[in-house]
Each structure stands twice: as C-alpha cells, then as structure tokens.
Amino acid sequence: MAEDILVLANEFAEVHVSKVLTHNGVRLRIRDPKSDREVLLCPLELESLTWQDSELFTSLLATPHGPEDS
Amino acid sequence: MVNLAELTRDIRSGMVPAYVYNDADLFTLERDHLFARSWVFLAHESEIPSPGDYVVRRIVDDSFIVVRDEQGVVRVLFNMCLHRGMQLCRAELGNSSHFRCPYHGWSYKNDGRLIGLPFHGDAYGGDRGLVKKEQRLLPAPAVDSYRGLVFASLDPDVVPLRDYLGDFTFYLDFYLNQSPDGIELRGPQRWRIKSNWKIGAENFCGDSYHTPQTHTSVVEVGLFAEPKANKRKEGALYFAGRGGGTTYKLPPGTFEEKLRYVGYPDEMITRMRQNWTPEQQRVVAEDGFMVSAATAFPNLSFVHNWPQINADGLIRPFISLRQWQPVSESETEVLSWYAVDANAPDYYKEESYKAYLMCFGSSGMFEQDDVENWVSITSTAKGAMARRLLLNSRMGLGLDDDVISQKPPSFSGPGRAYVGYGEHNQRSWLSLWSQHLGYSGDPAEHSPVPAGDAAGEGDR
Ligand code: FES
Ligand SMILES: [Fe+2]
C-alpha cells in the first residue's frame, strides 16, 4: 500500500509527512525532499513535542541549513 | 521644479493645476513628504488571525511584513534581510514561525529577532564577530490600529492614529463597527492601472457628480437603482478630520426600515442598534443618510452600496476597502478587499460577496467604468498643455467664494456637510494633500480657504 503523503509548505520550506508502519508499530516520517534528510518520530517523541514551545524550534534553527560539522 | 507656493494657492482656490495628475517631481515630493509622514493602511487584523500568519504590504517603495508572532502580537517589520538586503518574504502571504533568507540563510523568528545564521562560528568567530541576539529586523517607526485596521507610519513622531483620523472615525464606524466583533476581510484582489493614485482617492471622498454619467449602464442593466441623477443629488457630502465621503438619501422610515431598505437582515440591524452611538443612529434614522463611498487621507477608500443581486430583486449591501497604492506618477496598484460584519449570518456573507463582485473588484461594473476615466485623465495630464491649464474644481462655490451648496436640514455627524453636488470634499482632500508636500510658507497668507470648505479641514 502506497503511503499517503501530506505535503506541508510555505515559501521557506517544504516537507513531506507520512505515517510509516513498522513491523510492530508506527512512526511519523518527516522528510525534506530537497536535502533528502528525514526523521522518524514515535508517538512518545511526538507527545514530547506537545509540551515544547516555539523557542525549542528557534534554537534548532540557529543553524539554518542543518548541523554544521566543524 | 514644482512651485509649492503657487500650487498651494491654486489648490486652495479650487483651481487644480492639471499637471498634478502626472508629474514626476510631485511624485517625489509625495513619497518623501506625504507618504513619509502620514499614517498608511497596511492590513486588517482579520487577514492574519493565527500566530505565524503574515501578509506583505508596502508604503510606496518600502516593503513590510505584517505578521502575528507566536505570542499573538501584530508586528510590522521592514522586509529586508539585515545581512545583504535580500527581501525576506517574497510570497504575498503565508504562515511561518520563522523567516529564512533565500540568499545566505540568515533566519529570523517571526517577532523579528535574528535567531540563526549558517557557520556563525566559522564566518564570524561566533559572538566575537556578531552577537545574534542584538539583531532584529527593522520595525516600522510607528504602528497603530483602529478597529482592526493596522496602519504604519515612517515618521516616529507622528500623532496617534485616532488624533490623525479625528472625527472621521465617526463615519468609519458605519463600515467597521456594525457588531462588537467588527469586520473581516476577504482578498485583496490586486491589479495595476495606468492612473495617478490621487484620482481614485479624490473620487471616493466626494464625487457623487460622476455617478449618473459614468455609471449610467449600472442603472440601465438594473444592477443598482440609486445612481440615477435625481437620487444621487439628494445625498449629503461630509468631511471630518482626515476623511470625507458621500451618502445616499434614504426613503422615509424608521432606523430599522431604512436598513432593511438597503438589504440588511433584522439580526444585523439589531446589532447595529446596540453598537452605534445615538448620533450615528440619528444620521440614518432621522437625517436619513446612508454612507456610500469615502476616503481616509491619504489613500484608503471605502465603499458601501446595495445592488440588486438576482432577477427576483433581492437587494444586498456590501462593503469594500480599497487602497490606491502609488507606483509612479502615472501608475497605481489597486488593492480591493471585500469586508463584512464578522457576526453576519453565512447566507448574508455569501450574497453580500456576490454584490461586491458584481460592482467592484477586477470584475465589477463600477470599477471598469471609473478606471477608463482615470487612465485618460492621467495620460492627458502629462503634456505641455496640461501645465497651462487649471482644472475647475469649484463646484459648490460662488464666484466670490460664497457657498452655493445647501446644508442638510438636519445632520447629526461631526464635521461639515452639504447636500447635493459639490466639490468641497475634493478641495478639502487636495488641501490636505498640498499641506503634506513640504511647503513651509503659510498659504493662508495668500489665499484663505473659501469659507465653505473650511470646516473639517486643516490639522486636527
Ligand atoms: S542577504 Fe539575507 S542572508 Fe545574506
Ligand atoms: Fe465611480
């Protein structure tokens, strides 16, 4: 079964979001088609996001193109 | 070069130099003085209801992001990256918690703070070279709002918006305050016309005289009965504070009957009763006037009409906001929004929206009629002969500057009002305009404003 992909975009970014069934459970895949990076989040991780405020993401965006190796 | 003393004198006497509608030097003065000091409308709060919602709007050449930040605060930020000056938001509208510059990736939170940049350590030695947290997008020098309309000014010392608008707010509330939740906007439609921006602004603040001529076909096809000459001339023209407008005279009846006549359903009328002051209600009920077109100086106009929207004769009113955004002395970007009482029932919103689309917006009949004239004035005003011509804008004044126009038998609103045709409002608007061009002399010394135009004019 093809996964249903949800595309979320604004003028700054585009991500593809989908539900991924693992052998024994489920994860949420967030993929950035431009860099080909992705993250698979389990329900517990997603729950933890609900108690974050926007400052968490602000700090993640301190390196606007992702991690810098230096 | 423009002779401001002479220009101001001519304008005050009601003789308008034709070249003002297409002159590059004047456009520079308008940009550097008028638009640099006035309050200019940018957006309505209903256009950015959720955190992260933003629209991009302009004051002449300056682009601003009007955004509701993650805390819910409306911010107006100069749309230019602090690094090399790239325009940060290039979409007209969107939603984002952060803005990432397309050029090198400097990133800003939607409250304007610089929060990230690539290779901060390698490129700047970290905070040794650049302290991120001290940097933020340049805010507009002044931001203020009236009933959800967000204005900005390039002048940090501008008077508060309410003082600037003055008593014009009394009339604004007929459009903006029909219920406690105010209005919500749809749109804008946006297009460009080869017309000077002043012509639309002046037209909406007082030109009831063009309606029977320019908009004949609107009556002929049965879209709207009121523009007929005999109807139009019974309306009152008012000017108060920094704005003026036109009205239609309503047939006799109570407050409720008059609002039903223009197509409002009873539940909306009940809320208007509760929301409008006794004086505002008297303008409708006793004086018998219903607001139609209006302009808040300099370039925000309003319209309220009540066309017939189907073959069964159903009449529905609509409200539109429109902005005459100057592009050059001969080009204007028109922004046209549909506005409606946020508490109106859904069926009403739909029918009223249809009424708007039939009359205004890029498909509207009134719009098409008007623009043909304005484009033609602009192109005719460009040449050498236009510099020798003073346009007669003296309607309503006698040869000795005595007032020919009649005052309405009763009028409960502030400012100055006349019934019938007259160009008192256009003269008031143009006087305000000429006062804002940076002329430092006292024009009153040479040419007092005709007494009939005096009230509602000047600095408030
Ligand atoms: S211009 Fe915006 S990051 Fe360089
Ligand atoms: Fe018109």
Side-chain angles (χ1 to χ4, degrees), chain B residues 27-42 57-66 76-79 138-144 150-159 161 164 298-299 325-326 436:
Chain B
F27 186 76
T28 306
L29 290 177
E30 288 170 346
R31 188 194 59 205
D32 296 348
H33 294 276
L34 196 165
F35 283 99
R37 299 217 182 105
S38 301
W39 282 109
V40 180
F41 173 71
L42 291 180
R57 296 280 153 79
R58 282 186 300 122
I59 299 180
V60 195
D61 295 326
D62 291 310
S63 173
F64 290 97
I65 309 165
V66 186
V76 180
L77 308 167
F78 182 41
N79 190 10
L138 218 55
V143 177
D144 206 345
V150 179
F151 290 73
S153 177
L154 301 182
D155 178 4
D157 301 319
V158 67
V159 298
L161 179 63
Y164 173 89
N299 66 336
Q325 175 73 255
H436 280 76

Side-chain angles (χ1 to χ4, degrees), chain A residues 9-14 32 34 37 53-70, chain B residues 54 70 88-91 95-101 104-107 109 113 115-120 122 132:
Chain A
N10 59 22
E11 63 175 307
F12 306 102
E14 173 179 321
D32 168 26
K34 218 164 62 193
R37 281 185 299 238
D53 70 10
S54 140
E55 287 302 310
L56 169 73
F57 302 99
T58 298
S59 63
L60 299 181
L61 284 163
T63 51
H65 297 310
E68 294 168 2
D69 38 37
S70 69
Chain B
Y54 65 92
E70 296 304 297
L88 200 55
C89 291
R90 292 180 305 158
N95 183 296
S96 197
S97 62
H98 297 76
F99 308 127
R100 179 165 59 188
C101 180
H104 310 91
W106 283 31
S107 296
K109 186 129 180 156
R113 275 184 293 142
I115 57 90
L117 60 159
F119 309 111
H120 189 213
D122 288 342
K132 270 191 293 189

